[in-house]
């Protein structure tokens, strides 16, 4: 978009007239690209900003962090790219710089633009037609062109901007803009940490490392203007996000958020889930027990209290699955059947192989199924003592054709 040329003026404004607004319901030409999917608020090459930092959307994909933005270079520094998920975009208040600004933007409709009005009339603009933006909302744009007002759905608008008036900032505004905002510093700090912090950082991180990294970013910003309080706030936020990202990526001492947990000690047993990991706390493991109790533990306390992670369910076949705890103190298995008749017919043969079974469980909801079958038995009391023998017994069950009735003699 170019600054306004003093020898080129906006189209005559609608403010001097009161014509009827023409509602546009379709654009026949030019052909328009599909609107971006709702999960992507941006299109490629959109100009975006956060605070006084500007950038351009350089990549969109379907990964965990789908939006890549290349930020403009600051004096003495190179431009840099960073990927974001949608939560980060909202938190950092990254927004699209509008192409069209009411009363300030003028543009052109492409040659041979053809539109359909609400009264079914078709209008063709044979030449490139200048227009001025009168108003803009989230879903519509109102333009003044050739003595008429046209109201377009924004996703159908074929026009492009050519000129825009610029408000020259005052010296006071320029001085205020020269200061880095909290958001500006967060972006710089996150980039610095991404380059400086290795994936295994959580294994050896100590407060001194945090201070060293903070001093290094402060040195990098030594030529910039910012408030010390803003720097401290931004640093803590960037540091917190970096630790959270590392924790989700690699876990902490083998534990991850949402992991199932078992406490098994001296005949006492209960189950829970890792609700949160905060690696900077003395008790970083926050566990929500099934009783509703929420408690925090250190690594030493987890080991001393017999608290271990339960491994994900292992499916040996469409009908057989099992799950064990990391320390081997917990073991359970499930045998699934397509129908209740099959389950009852196989009860005794399966029981002889694996041990005592629970009552038949009807799993109407998919989330309650372990094997994927509608009916399941749980192995409540395994016949064998060692894990190897238990798995051997399950392998024997796997070889049975549980989709058919057992042979009778």
């Amino acid at each position: 978009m170019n600054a306004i040329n003093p020898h080129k003026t906006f189209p005559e404004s609608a403010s001097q007239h009161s014509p009827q607004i023409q509602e546009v319901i379709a654009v026949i030409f030019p052909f328009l690209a599909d609107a971006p999917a709702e999960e992507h608020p941006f299109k490629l090459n959109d100009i975006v900003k956060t605070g006084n930092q500007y950038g351009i959307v350089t990549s969109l994909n379907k990964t965990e962090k789908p939006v890549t933005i290349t930020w403009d270079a600051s004096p003495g520094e190179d431009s840099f790219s960073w990927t974001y998920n949608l939560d980060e975009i909202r938190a950092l208040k990254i927004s699209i710089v509008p192409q069209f600004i009411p009363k300030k933007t003028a543009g052109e409709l492409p040659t041979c633009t053809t539109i359909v009005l609400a009264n079914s009339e078709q209008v063709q603009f044979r030449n490139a037609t200048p227009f001025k933006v009168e108003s803009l909302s989230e879903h519509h744009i109102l333009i003044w062109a050739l003595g008429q007002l046209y109201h377009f759905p924004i996703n159908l608008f074929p026009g492009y901007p050519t000129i825009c008036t610029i408000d020259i900032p005052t010296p006071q505004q320029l001085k205020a803009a020269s200061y880095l905002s909290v958001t500006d510093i967060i972006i710089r700090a996150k980039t610095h940490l991404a380059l400086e912090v290795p994936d295994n950082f959580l294994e050896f991180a100590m407060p001194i490392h945090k201070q060293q990294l903070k001093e290094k970013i402060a040195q990098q910003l030594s030529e910039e203007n910012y408030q010390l309080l803003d720097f401290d706030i931004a640093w803590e936020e960037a540091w917190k996000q970096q630790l959270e990202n590392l924790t989700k990526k690699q876990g902490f001492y083998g534990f991850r958020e949402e992991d199932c947990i078992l406490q098994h000690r001296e005949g006492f047993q209960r189950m829970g889930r890792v609700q949160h990991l905060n690696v900077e706390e003395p008790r970083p493991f926050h566990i929500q027990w099934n009783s509703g109790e929420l408690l925090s533990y250190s690594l030493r306390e987890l080991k001393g209290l017999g608290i271990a992670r339960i491994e994900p369910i292992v499916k040996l076949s469409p009908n057989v699955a099992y799950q064990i705890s990391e320390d081997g103190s917990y073991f359970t298995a499930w045998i699934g059947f397509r129908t209740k008749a099959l389950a009852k017919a196989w009860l005794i043969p399966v029981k002889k192989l694996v041990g005592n079974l629970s009552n038949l469980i009807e799993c109407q909801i998919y989330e309650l199924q372990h094997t994927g079958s509608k009916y399941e038995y749980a192995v409540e009391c395994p016949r064998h003592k060692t894990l190897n023998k238990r798995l051997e017994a399950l392998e024997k069950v796997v070889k049975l054709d549980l989709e058919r009735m057992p042979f009778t003699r």
Side-chain angles (χ1 to χ4, degrees):
M1 189 181 297
N2 301 317
I4 189 167
N5 187 321
H7 301 293
K8 186 177 182 180
T9 59
F10 279 146
E12 184 182 14
S13 174
S15 60
Q16 302 163 4
H17 305 269
S18 298
Q20 182 180 0
I21 295 175
Q22 305 292 330
E23 290 287 343
V24 179
I25 61 171
V27 175
I28 298 175
F29 184 84
F31 304 111
L32 301 177
D34 292 336
E38 290 186 5
E39 62 266 25
H40 282 318
F42 304 119
K43 301 187 298 292
L44 282 178
N45 301 318
D46 273 346
I47 299 173
V48 297
K49 66 172 294 188
T50 177
N52 61 359
Q53 187 90 25
Y54 287 80
I56 187 168
V57 176
T58 50
S59 176
L60 291 172
N61 52 58
K62 294 183 179 180
T63 62
E64 185 178 331
K65 295 194 172 188
V67 182
T68 301
I69 297 173
T70 300
W71 297 101
D72 290 345
S74 300
E77 294 187 5
D78 296 330
S79 60
F80 63 96
S81 297
W82 193 258
T83 56
Y84 301 89
N85 60 39
L86 301 189
D87 288 336
E88 289 170 337
I89 285 171
R90 285 188 286 268
L92 295 172
K93 297 181 179 177
I94 298 173
S95 59
I96 297 175
V97 176
Q99 288 184 304
F100 302 109
I101 304 174
K103 306 297 184 183
K104 293 184 178 182
T105 301
E108 288 185 349
L109 297 172
T111 302
C112 294
T113 294
T114 306
I115 61 177
V116 180
L117 304 181
N119 61 5
S120 300
E121 178 185 353
Q122 291 188 12
V123 176
Q124 184 181 76
F125 300 89
R126 296 181 180 275
N127 303 311
T129 304
F131 68 84
K132 181 178 179 182
V133 178
E134 292 292 328
S135 67
L136 183 70
S137 68
E138 182 180 357
H139 301 293
H140 290 87
I141 183 171
L142 181 66
I143 66 166
W144 172 259
L146 299 181
Q148 290 287 341
L149 285 170
Y150 294 96
H151 194 233
F152 283 80
I154 195 68
N155 62 323
L156 295 181
F157 188 59
Y160 53 89
T162 55
I163 55 176
C164 181
T165 57
I166 299 175
D167 295 323
I168 305 300
T170 65
Q172 291 81 4
Q173 289 173 324
L174 287 173
K175 182 178 179 181
S178 69
Y179 277 83
L180 294 178
S181 68
V182 171
T183 302
D184 297 330
I185 302 171
I186 287 176
I187 292 173
R188 305 286 187 88
K190 286 175 67 175
T191 304
H192 169 72
L193 289 171
L195 296 174
E196 294 287 334
V197 172
D199 282 348
N200 64 341
F201 181 71
L202 297 180
E203 297 175 8
F204 59 84
M206 297 180 66
I208 188 173
H209 297 122
K210 177 181 178 181
Q211 185 60 31
Q212 289 171 348
L213 289 166
K214 183 178 181 181
E215 290 173 359
K216 194 167 183 179
I217 184 64
Q219 187 177 7
Q220 289 184 6
L221 298 178
S222 59
E223 301 299 321
E224 302 280 5
N225 296 320
Y226 57 84
Q227 300 291 337
L228 288 178
L229 179 60
D230 288 346
F231 176 79
D232 288 338
I233 293 172
W235 167 255
E236 291 298 329
E237 178 62 26
W239 176 256
K240 176 185 174 184
Q241 289 185 24
Q242 180 68 23
L243 294 186
E244 287 179 350
N245 290 339
L246 283 177
T247 302
K248 289 178 180 178
K249 182 178 180 180
Q250 67 186 44
F252 191 49
Y253 289 103
F255 291 87
R256 296 177 183 271
E257 290 181 3
E258 298 302 317
D259 274 352
C260 290
I261 297 296
L262 171 76
Q263 182 177 14
H264 187 83
R265 184 178 180 226
E266 297 176 357
F268 174 77
Q269 181 173 301
R270 62 173 171 171
M271 300 183 72
R273 191 176 294 276
V274 178
Q275 186 188 69
H276 182 60
L277 295 170
N278 190 331
V279 300
E280 292 193 285
E281 293 182 358
R283 290 186 169 91
F285 304 93
H286 298 242
I287 296 178
Q288 180 85 51
W289 296 105
N290 288 353
S291 63
E293 192 175 21
L294 178 63
L295 296 173
S296 301
Y297 300 89
S298 66
L299 183 63
R300 179 176 295 181
E301 288 171 335
L302 290 180
K303 293 181 178 179
L305 294 170
I307 299 173
R309 183 172 63 90
I310 299 178
E311 302 285 359
I313 292 175
V314 177
K315 292 190 69 173
L316 298 177
S317 76
N319 302 88
V320 181
Y322 74 92
Q323 189 174 36
I324 60 174
S325 62
E326 194 173 25
D327 63 358
S329 62
Y330 168 81
F331 171 90
T332 190
W334 297 272
I335 317 296
F337 297 90
R338 179 168 43 85
T339 67
K340 188 180 294 186
L342 282 170
K344 290 182 177 180
W346 279 105
L347 173 60
I348 294 176
V350 169
K351 184 176 179 181
K352 287 180 179 179
L353 291 173
V354 300
N356 289 337
L357 302 176
S358 69
N359 293 326
L360 187 62
I361 305 165
E362 186 172 351
C363 308
Q364 295 285 5
I365 303 174
Y366 178 78
E367 288 74 12
L368 298 179
Q369 299 171 2
H370 304 91
T371 63
S373 301
K374 185 177 179 181
Y375 299 94
E376 290 179 346
Y377 291 116
V379 180
E380 288 190 332
C381 185
R383 178 178 299 278
H384 304 284
K385 298 297 182 184
T386 66
L387 178 60
N388 286 341
K389 289 293 185 180
R390 291 173 179 177
L391 294 181
E392 286 178 11
L394 289 180
E395 289 290 351
K396 292 178 181 178
V397 177
V398 169
K399 294 177 181 179
L400 301 174
D401 187 355
L402 302 180
E403 293 299 310
R404 296 184 180 183
M405 288 289 183
F407 293 113
T408 56
R409 293 183 181 179

